[in-house]
Amino acid sequence: MLNSVQMARFVAYGSLRMDAVVPAEMNAEALEVLGDGVPGVPYGTPLSEAYPQGSFPRRLLELPAVAGALRSLVGPEPDIDHHAVHVRLPREGQAQPLHGDAIIDVRRDAFDVQLMYYPQDVTLEMGGTLSVPGSHLRRTNESDTGRYQNLRGQDRLVCPAGTVVFLHHGLWHGGRRNDSDTVRYMFKIRFNPTVRQRRLWDTSDLADRRVARELDTTFPWYEHATGRLERYNRVLLWRALTGDDSFDLDHWVTRVSNRPQEVPA
Ligand SMILES: O=C(O)CCC(=O)C(=O)O
């Protein structure tokens, strides 16, 4: 299971990266499985019904590190929204525009996660997924952000084989141009929670000072003042995730939710 510091980091960054958590023999198998394509499942299929016992996706999701992170983020038995094998062809000549994966999503107390699995070593030339840390709570519509070519502090994924990244559904991302001679695979699964996302992780370190420090992270693409909005939105999400309506950073939420009802004598 994730701990509170890791969850706070996910709330601030919008992603959680786990390097080389899938063993080498499964990565080798994945290159064949993904090359053949993974049959789709209907939207909203419960996880336990989506992938047959022993199938590759099932074994991937049963790996303890993967299962623990997934359960911490969305709880037991989420639904599969959809999955897809993403292929970036050698020397394909173009990148994907920066985008979020769906329409504007105004949920403040729930989120989907997307698992991204990379079965090969991904080099810079292979066009690993671009993402913009801390962009997930800036609600945008699909590829509204597509004209942004590069943002300060963006991340271009370079990773060892067997890396799994969990994304908050709102994170701005896009496949980069593959300038190598190698086909680059990524398997993505989107999960919808079916339970309230409250204290689903190991909360024994909830009072750790590093929790607030993580939630207060700023990123280079924020201008000084606009970054306040992200911190405000993180506080709202952290309140929903913990049930602690008194949590705040520098009074941001307390200030704008102050509506005294007392009538003066
Ligand atoms: O191929 C990639 O690196 C990212 C693809 C992706 O996430 C998408 O198409 O939404």
Side-chain angles (χ1 to χ4, degrees):
M1 302 300 277
L2 302 181
N3 61 33
S4 303
V5 177
Q6 290 171 308
M7 276 302 290
R9 194 176 167 84
F10 178 85
V11 168
Y13 281 69
S15 68
L16 169 79
R17 172 176 168 165
M18 298 187 296
D19 278 21
V21 287
V22 181
E25 57 287 0
M26 280 184 73
N27 295 328
E29 180 188 351
L31 288 175
E32 286 186 22
V33 171
L34 301 186
D36 292 345
V38 181
V41 296
Y43 290 117
T45 304
L47 173 58
S48 61
E49 295 167 22
Y51 306 113
Q53 284 282 358
S55 64
F56 185 85
R58 179 102 172 210
R59 283 183 284 121
L60 174 68
L61 298 172
E62 283 171 351
L63 290 171
V66 176
L70 185 63
R71 196 179 169 111
S72 301
L73 292 164
V74 290
E77 191 66 342
D79 287 338
I80 304 298
D81 184 298
H82 69 284
H83 68 230
V85 178
H86 293 267
V87 183
R88 310 241 32 116
L89 294 172
R91 310 215 173 266
E92 61 188 339
Q94 60 179 18
Q96 220 182 19
L98 194 63
H99 64 281
D101 269 343
I103 59 166
I104 291 178
D105 187 333
V106 294
R107 286 176 290 172
R108 291 209 179 272
D109 51 0
F111 57 88
D112 295 346
V113 290
Q114 312 216 71
L115 171 148
M116 291 181 167
Y117 160 57
Y118 300 83
Q120 343 149 242
D121 289 334
V122 178
T123 64
L124 200 58
E125 293 67 39
M126 284 163 76
T129 310
L130 173 78
S131 66
V132 183
S135 58
H136 53 301
L137 302 179
R138 185 69 66 97
R139 293 173 171 83
T140 55
N141 199 39
E142 226 284 331
S143 49
D144 278 356
T145 49
R147 69 194 172 91
Y148 299 148
Q149 299 301 311
N150 289 288
L151 285 166
R152 287 170 64 204
Q154 69 188 18
D155 182 62
R156 295 182 60 183
L157 187 78
V158 172
C159 65
T163 295
V164 168
V165 184
F166 283 99
L167 302 189
H168 181 285
H169 67 255
L171 200 76
W172 303 356
H173 67 281
R176 289 261 104 176
R177 194 176 65 203
N178 184 353
D179 288 328
S180 76
D181 293 320
T182 310
V183 181
R184 196 266 285 166
Y185 290 99
M186 184 267 281
F187 183 45
K188 181 152 102 181
I189 312 177
R190 181 168 177 142
F191 299 91
N192 310 140
T194 57
V195 297
R196 184 176 67 168
Q197 285 160 291
R198 180 165 296 171
R199 299 188 183 224
L200 298 173
W201 65 95
D202 171 6
T203 56
S204 54
D205 63 338
L206 202 51
D208 191 315
R209 283 161 189 255
R210 287 174 299 169
V211 167
R213 218 178 296 147
E214 289 289 356
L215 290 169
D216 213 13
T217 306
T218 67
F219 295 102
W221 66 276
Y222 297 167
E223 290 163 19
H224 172 67
T226 53
R228 292 171 178 168
L229 183 57
E230 320 308 322
R231 291 156 78 219
Y232 168 84
N233 282 328
R234 288 179 208 157
V235 172
L236 293 183
L237 182 53
W238 194 249
R239 286 183 175 197
L241 287 173
T242 57
D244 174 4
D245 284 340
S246 67
F247 179 83
D248 209 348
L249 297 170
D250 293 343
H251 218 57
W252 287 115
V253 175
T254 309
R255 181 179 301 116
V256 299
S257 53
N258 180 32
R259 290 195 179 86
Q261 296 303 308
E262 202 170 306
V263 178

